[in-house]
Amino acid sequence: MRRPDPAFWRGRNVLVTGHTGFKGGWLTLWLARMGAAVTGIALPPNTTPSLFERAGIAGHCAASHFHDIRDGAGLARLVREAAPEIVFHLAAQPLVRASYREPVATFAANVMGTAHLLDALRDLASARVAVMITTDKVYHNREWPYPYREDDALGGHDPYSASKAASEIVIASYRDSFLRAQGMAVASARAGNVIGGGDWAEDRLIPDAVRAWLAGDVLEIRRPAAIRPWQHVLEPLCGYLVLAEAMAGLPALAGAYNFGPPTHEASTVRDVVDLARSIWGGGEVRYGDGSRGPHEANWLALEVAKVRTALGLGPRWALRESVERTIRWYREEAGGADAAALCSAEIAAFEDGR
């Protein structure tokens, strides 16, 4: 299956928004490993610990800026200074439950932040490609037993999902109204639930499990029957990189893309927790009945035929290996291993097919 080409990235100016986050940090490390000159723009990390600090992400950037993408004028200035050829937009308020607490801030970051970045790319001579990362939750979830395709209806019950669906409309509008005419290829990337070392955010399944079991606490699971398209973080990041490469050569590939495991490999929360617990070697879990907390979708799976046929992409690691690698990363990092070295080794294994 296709993998990123280091020769393509060597020496290229790349902008990554959200480089202080989980996926953005891994992406920055991978780009730097391939020789790209990365400019990062994001808020300061909001977790302690954070991958940004533990892996020294700023040191892998040509420039690293703490900036709020809701400030459009300041963002435009930083984008002009960076003069990127390739843009990856990951900066966002990424949590469903946090969106219930702060809906206006979620819409401001996810919708207007996206609009501000796209507007900053208008008439920017250097820019050729933008990959705008949204989520698998952009679809109007009907709780049906079918995977969602890229042309299915957008929607969102919770503010996070709704904000990301709205950002998809913004992305399509800027692509059709402005950016395609200036020769820029713009895609939206809708990825399933990601796991991997270095994620310390709240309300994330594996990080919550690791925190609880390291402390000897009980892991509380609200909705064990919920089904999600789980994948290791390097799987969608590989897809974003390959998509950018492909659009640089063929701008007509611009559009929306799902990234996730094969549809039949979508798994329940209980399945993932039980697998993680067996790999961890114990740990207490208390399963709820799904009645606690705000609304969250029960069933979500993605159709990934488009990336398979258009980009030649397919999964490298199945669920068990993804969970094993994630648990091992946290164990080794907690034992004193260098986070950047752990990430580098994981990227190398992914590239080599190990």
Side-chain angles (χ1 to χ4, degrees):
M1 291 296 182
R2 190 170 175 181
R3 295 294 175 257
D5 179 9
F8 173 89
W9 295 101
R10 193 171 301 118
R12 288 188 189 265
N13 283 349
V14 180
L15 171 64
V16 176
T17 72
H19 69 304
T20 61
F22 168 49
K23 288 171 71 177
W26 275 93
L27 179 59
T28 299
L29 289 171
W30 201 344
L31 285 164
R33 173 186 173 85
M34 294 189 292
V38 181
T39 295
I41 300 175
L43 291 174
N46 63 355
T47 65
T48 302
S50 73
L51 182 64
F52 181 78
E53 294 170 343
R54 291 284 179 91
I57 300 295
H60 295 268
C61 297
S64 175
H65 305 284
F66 290 158
H67 184 79
D68 193 329
I69 61 173
R70 291 174 293 184
D71 171 11
L75 178 62
R77 175 180 56 80
L78 292 174
V79 171
R80 286 193 301 270
E81 291 175 358
E85 184 178 352
I86 312 289
V87 175
F88 294 98
H89 177 49
L90 295 91
Q93 192 298 95
L95 301 173
V96 171
R97 282 162 64 86
S99 78
Y100 280 105
R101 296 193 297 269
E102 298 183 315
V104 173
T106 298
F107 281 105
N110 295 352
V111 182
M112 290 309 302
T114 297
H116 288 154
L117 176 60
L118 290 166
D119 205 59
L121 296 175
R122 290 176 62 187
D123 301 319
L124 187 68
S126 63
R128 293 179 58 199
V129 169
V131 179
M132 314 292 288
I133 284 72
T134 60
T135 177
D136 58 351
K137 298 174 179 63
V138 298
Y139 296 105
H140 179 198
N141 195 313
R142 303 177 185 276
E143 301 286 355
W144 57 22
Y146 311 109
Y148 291 93
R149 298 172 300 179
E150 288 85 350
D151 58 357
D152 279 330
L154 302 174
H157 183 285
D158 59 88
Y160 168 72
S161 301
S163 71
K164 285 295 194 174
S167 75
E168 287 275 357
I169 297 173
V170 172
I171 292 163
S173 175
Y174 266 85
R175 178 175 56 236
D176 296 341
S177 299
F178 308 111
L179 301 178
R180 180 183 287 123
Q182 72 184 51
M184 186 176 180
V186 180
S188 62
R190 307 165 181 176
N193 290 45
V194 296
I195 60 175
D199 185 5
W200 282 285
E202 64 173 338
D203 289 333
R204 294 273 176 78
L205 186 59
I206 300 297
D208 283 351
V210 170
R211 276 189 289 262
W213 297 337
L214 278 174
D217 296 332
V218 177
L219 173 63
E220 300 282 351
I221 299 297
R222 298 186 306 274
R223 290 180 169 85
I227 295 174
R228 296 290 186 269
W230 308 94
Q231 59 186 325
H232 192 276
V233 63
L234 293 181
E235 302 280 4
L237 295 186
C238 172
Y240 305 161
L241 292 164
V242 168
L243 176 58
E245 292 176 21
M247 289 197 300
L250 186 60
L253 288 170
Y257 291 83
N258 289 338
F259 293 91
T263 301
H264 67 277
E265 291 185 7
S267 302
T268 67
V269 170
R270 182 187 287 271
D271 288 341
V272 176
V273 170
D274 288 348
L275 181 57
R277 185 174 179 272
S278 69
I279 295 167
W280 185 267
E284 292 189 62
V285 184
R286 183 179 297 119
Y287 291 110
D289 60 6
S291 62
R292 292 177 52 217
H295 173 274
E296 293 181 77
N298 290 313
W299 168 272
L300 180 56
L302 297 177
E303 174 57 70
V304 294
K306 185 177 180 181
V307 297
R308 185 176 64 249
T309 57
L311 302 177
L313 288 169
R316 171 69 76 190
W317 295 329
L319 181 61
R320 169 171 275 282
E321 185 169 4
S322 297
V323 175
E324 287 176 345
R325 288 179 174 277
T326 300
I327 294 295
R328 183 168 66 245
W329 195 102
Y330 282 111
R331 277 194 182 279
E332 293 183 5
E333 202 275 341
D338 178 75
L342 290 173
C343 291
S344 181
E346 204 81 317
I347 294 168
F350 190 91
E351 291 173 332
D352 295 343
R354 290 185 274 116

